[in-house]
Structure formats: structure tokens, C-alpha cells
Amino acid sequence: MKILKIVLVAVVALILVSFTVNNFFINSEMIDREIAVVGHRGAGALAPENSLAAINKAIELQVDLIEIDVQRTKDNVIIVLHDESIDRTSNGEGVVGEMTFKEIRSKQLLDANGKESDQIIPTLTEVMELINGQTQLLIEIKQGSEVYPGIEDEIVKLIADKKAEAWCVVQSFNDDILLKVHDLNPDLRLHKLFYGNIFGLGIKRKALDAYPHVEAFNSFYWLTSKRFVEKVHQLNKKVHVWTVNSAGAVKQSKKKGVDGVITDNPTLLEQ
């Protein structure tokens, strides 16, 4: 009887250990395979794009990164705006580089339905102060020094002044911009934007290993193949796809094995 009890205790112990180990690996796998959520222009489908309200909404939804775009005014204020003009996203008209900050701030941002909101175009400084390390900030430099002389220097300096190197990432389609930022601060994380590897689009792309200074490639999800993702992963880098705005696109992106999706509506990825 005593031997039987010992055997039973041993069996129970083995079962408990096995259960614990299996759960550990299952949970670890779930964490490892969890896809990152990047709020595009804040949460551009839920509030006026690139507004403080959109940024705040993305923070509330606990996204992993918040993506924004930057331009610069005539009087050298870096603002958060996708287009080179304010026509599409505000109730005003004009080219950003030909307008003063005061002129731009007198306009109201439009919501997704084209209606005026209570939001105004924010500065990069205001966005950074709002986020303040609560999540990662992905700054897309739309135009470099050829349009806005010295903008890369200004952004790198602002990140340093705010002691935000740990939570700021810079991305661009333009290789020269990325190299310039890397030269200014080799420790700043960089993402390379591009459309995809489809012949005939006229997009000049180097070999993937020609980008040792970037940590991720962010590509258009329709033109991102599973094979491409695997090649990037072989280089120990990540792939985020844009702009993923439907449940079906989320599902397809996950099947391709991407590391993150860039979306106007982060609620699509709520469990």
C-alpha cells in the first residue's frame, strides 16, 4: 500500500509538472506570435487623422505604436500632417511650406466624413508631450532637406531634448532621409517604408541586406508576400504592413506571418 501511494504521488507530480510546462510553452508561443498594432495617423478612422484626439484614442486603445506624419511651416514649425497642403484634411487651403504656423492653426481639422471638428493641426512637440513614453511613436518624415532644409536635424534634436530615444522611431520612403538620421544618431531606430516587390511599379529597391541600419520594413499589405516576410525574418528584422482596415485584411496579414499591422482602426484587432 505504501509503495502504491508513492507511485500515485509521483504520477500526480508528473502530471502537474507536465501541465505547467505545457502551459508555459503554449503561453510563450501566444506571446511570441502576438501581432503588433500600429495606430495609423493616431487612430485615423476614429478621430480626425493626426489630431491630438486621434493620438489620445490610440493611447486609450493601448496600441503598440502610433504612426504620424510630419511637415514644416514657412516659419519652421514642425507640424503633424500627412499632406503637403492642408486642403484635404482641414477647412482651409494652402501649401504647408508657404504658410505660417499661425495661419495653419486658424483652421479646423475635418473628420472622416469631411465635417469640421474641434481639432486643430498639432505640432510634433505637442504630440510627443501627449504620448510622453506611454507607447512608441513612429514618425514618418515625408519630405527631407530637399524640401525642408535641415528637418532631419531638427527632429533628431527634438527627440534628444525630450529624452525620447527609447520610445521614438523614424520611418521614411526616402533612403537619404534614413541615412541622414542614422548619421546624426546611430542609436535611433529606423523603419524603411516601401510599397512592395512587384515588377513594373517603378519603385527602386535595394537588396534587403543593404539596410543594416533599419530594424523593420513597412510595406503595402497587398504587395507583401509570405516569402518576403520570411526573407526579412532571416535577417532578424521585422515587417509591418499598411494600411490594414478590414477584418479580412488582418486575417490575411497574420497568415503571412507579419510582425505588425498599421491600421486606421485599432479596434479591428481587439480580442
Side-chain angles (χ1 to χ4, degrees):
M1 182 66 71
K2 186 175 181 181
I3 294 175
L4 180 60
K5 286 183 178 179
I6 293 172
V7 171
L8 287 172
V9 170
V11 169
V12 171
L14 283 172
I15 291 172
L16 289 173
V17 169
S18 176
F19 178 79
T20 302
V21 170
N22 285 337
N23 271 325
F24 172 79
F25 283 112
I26 290 170
N27 290 333
S28 295
E29 184 180 14
M30 289 174 65
I31 292 169
D32 290 342
R33 295 180 64 183
E34 187 176 38
I35 199 165
V37 182
V38 185
H40 188 235
R41 304 175 196 173
L46 307 178
E49 66 175 62
N50 279 321
S51 66
L52 292 182
I55 305 296
N56 219 18
K57 186 64 178 176
I59 293 172
E60 289 174 3
L61 292 171
Q62 298 182 344
V63 300
D64 299 288
L65 294 95
I66 293 175
E67 185 269 352
I68 60 168
D69 314 277
V70 294
Q71 306 283 349
R72 194 175 69 187
T73 66
K74 181 180 180 179
D75 47 349
N76 298 322
V77 178
I78 299 176
I79 62 171
V80 176
L81 189 74
H82 180 271
D83 302 352
E84 291 182 56
S85 79
I86 66 171
D87 300 18
R88 179 181 63 86
T89 55
S90 81
N91 61 355
E93 294 181 350
V95 176
V96 174
E98 298 173 359
M99 302 176 71
T100 65
F101 178 59
K102 184 177 180 180
E103 290 172 329
I104 287 175
R105 287 285 261 211
S106 68
K107 311 304 179 184
Q108 303 298 122
L109 283 169
L110 306 179
D111 64 20
N113 298 314
K115 295 182 179 179
E116 289 184 17
S117 72
D118 61 354
Q119 295 293 299
I120 54 178
I121 296 170
T123 66
L124 177 56
T125 297
E126 289 171 336
V127 168
M128 291 181 68
E129 289 176 349
L130 174 59
I131 294 175
N132 194 28
Q134 295 179 79
T135 188
Q136 305 281 301
L137 176 62
L138 181 58
I139 304 168
E140 180 180 348
I141 303 180
K142 307 295 291 185
Q143 302 289 345
S145 289
E146 72 282 357
V147 176
Y148 303 125
I151 190 171
E152 300 95 339
D153 302 73
E154 293 172 22
I155 290 172
V156 170
K157 183 178 184 303
L158 180 58
I159 292 172
D161 289 346
K162 296 292 183 183
K163 295 180 172 47
E165 292 92 343
W167 52 271
C168 279
V169 186
V170 172
Q171 72 170 355
S172 184
F173 283 100
N174 190 314
D175 288 352
D176 292 336
I177 291 174
L178 294 175
L179 286 171
K180 175 67 173 177
V181 171
H182 182 66
D183 288 343
L184 291 167
N185 185 347
D187 294 327
L188 268 182
R189 289 173 293 146
L190 304 174
H191 288 189
K192 166 65 179 171
L193 273 167
F194 73 103
Y195 286 93
N197 189 21
I198 300 298
F199 179 76
L201 286 180
I203 300 169
K204 185 178 180 182
R205 289 186 57 244
K206 301 176 182 177
L208 292 175
D209 57 7
Y211 293 92
H213 50 294
V214 309
E215 71 170 19
F217 293 91
N218 300 343
S219 57
F220 182 40
Y221 82 97
W222 274 111
L223 304 182
T224 302
S225 66
K226 186 174 183 179
R227 183 181 178 187
F228 171 77
V229 174
E230 290 170 349
K231 286 184 176 181
V232 173
H233 286 169
Q234 287 171 6
L235 296 172
N236 200 30
K237 298 180 186 295
K238 296 181 179 180
V239 177
H240 304 103
V241 289
W242 51 270
T243 306
V244 179
N245 284 333
S246 71
V250 171
K251 185 177 180 180
Q252 289 301 314
S253 298
K254 286 182 176 181
K255 283 183 177 179
K256 293 176 182 179
V258 304
D259 301 284
V261 296
I262 302 172
T263 176
D264 292 316
N265 185 4
T267 63
L268 287 172
L269 286 101
E270 288 183 342
Q271 298 296 322

